[in-house]
Amino acid sequence: MSASKLSKRFDELRIQRDSIESTKQYEQGPFAGYRIDNDALIGWEVKALNLLEMACSTDSAHVERFRQLQRPEAYRSNFEKLKQLGAVFDAAQEDFDGGYLNSVRSLIQSELFDSELEQAKELLAAKYKAAAAVIAGVVLETTLRQMCTDRGLASGKLDKMNADLAKSGSYNLQVQKRITALADIRNSAAHGNADKFREEDVMDMITYIERFLSEHLHA
């Protein structure tokens, strides 16, 4: 799900939360207090947690605290539970909108990469295979650099980053060899040696990089 869709979903669930809160009714008795529609609360909890896990990651402080508050507590009404869960939800949305979550950065970066790879496909369709290979290669190298930064590895030349990432266990030797082959295509294209690769090679390159992004960019 794109960053814009996640942002829209935050707004939708905030409105739903407010709607559920508006159903509160005061009940008398030993445990007097406000109550809300419990079925609606359960439904909202599930949807809100799913959104937080996508936007903040499953091991984030937001998700951890949300899960803690979902546990039953003595003498706490379901209205009070909604207010507590809502506070965590609002904090997550504020951090999301402010760009303070790593997952947000990755989503935005992924969208930019998708745009560049689409441009590479268009160039390839127009028979500009060298330009397409160069653009795809830039996306690949930028991804490796970001992966190194996220893992505390030094950034540098593509071959060095590729070797360091494989050594760190970020991916296996087969992936390392494939990336080396793609880098060779990029280098040939950048140096005007378009006779050393085919259009099919560039299409395979773009397809592989798309899959690589989906598997490793958020890791």
Side-chain angles (χ1 to χ4, degrees):
M1 187 180 293
S2 68
S4 60
K5 288 184 177 180
L6 287 175
S7 181
K8 179 181 178 183
R9 188 58 172 160
F10 265 113
D11 289 338
E12 291 173 348
L13 290 184
R14 179 172 46 79
I15 292 172
Q16 288 183 26
R17 189 264 319 272
D18 293 344
S19 177
I20 295 171
E21 186 175 330
S22 69
T23 68
K24 67 179 182 181
Q25 293 184 347
Y26 192 82
E27 295 183 2
Q28 301 286 352
F31 304 105
Y34 286 105
R35 300 288 188 278
I36 55 174
D37 184 331
N38 202 56
D39 289 340
L41 170 60
I42 293 172
W44 183 85
E45 281 186 58
V46 172
K47 291 181 285 188
L49 178 59
N50 181 55
L51 176 60
L52 293 186
E53 288 180 340
M54 287 191 292
C56 308
S57 81
T58 56
D59 59 351
S60 68
H62 305 81
V63 170
E64 182 179 351
R65 184 58 176 153
F66 193 92
R67 287 186 177 278
Q68 289 174 349
L69 290 171
Q70 283 185 294
R71 298 167 187 162
E73 289 185 16
Y75 310 113
R76 182 183 63 169
S77 70
N78 61 1
F79 175 71
E80 292 171 329
K81 181 181 182 182
L82 176 63
K83 296 291 284 184
Q84 293 173 342
L85 292 172
V88 176
F89 183 87
D90 289 342
Q93 182 174 18
E94 181 179 342
D95 284 347
F96 181 90
D97 291 340
Y100 300 115
L101 303 175
N102 287 336
S103 57
V104 176
R105 181 204 63 201
S106 295
L107 282 166
I108 293 172
Q109 190 174 60
S110 179
E111 290 174 353
L112 292 173
F113 286 163
D114 287 345
S115 177
E116 291 175 345
L117 290 175
E118 285 301 318
Q119 182 182 1
K121 290 179 184 178
E122 292 174 4
L123 287 169
L124 184 60
K127 305 301 180 182
Y128 295 108
K129 67 175 184 179
V134 169
I135 290 176
V138 169
V139 171
L140 178 60
E141 184 170 1
T142 304
T143 301
L144 296 185
R145 183 171 291 109
Q146 185 60 62
M147 289 176 65
C148 284
T149 298
D150 291 344
R151 291 158 177 76
L153 302 174
S155 298
K157 293 185 177 181
L158 188 149
D159 287 345
K160 179 67 164 56
M161 293 189 294
N162 188 24
D164 288 346
L165 286 166
K167 186 177 180 179
S168 72
S170 297
Y171 44 74
N172 59 33
L173 183 60
Q174 183 178 1
V175 173
Q176 181 187 359
K177 290 180 177 179
R178 182 69 168 129
I179 290 175
T180 297
L182 298 182
D184 288 342
I185 295 175
R186 192 278 304 270
N187 292 338
S188 294
H191 290 91
N193 299 319
D195 59 316
K196 292 187 176 182
F197 57 91
R198 305 167 301 164
E199 290 183 6
E200 291 83 355
D201 296 326
V202 180
M203 191 65 250
D204 289 344
M205 178 183 187
I206 294 171
T207 301
Y208 185 86
I209 292 173
E210 287 177 328
R211 186 167 68 250
F212 183 84
L213 290 176
S214 67
E215 294 175 353
H216 297 283
L217 184 61
H218 305 288

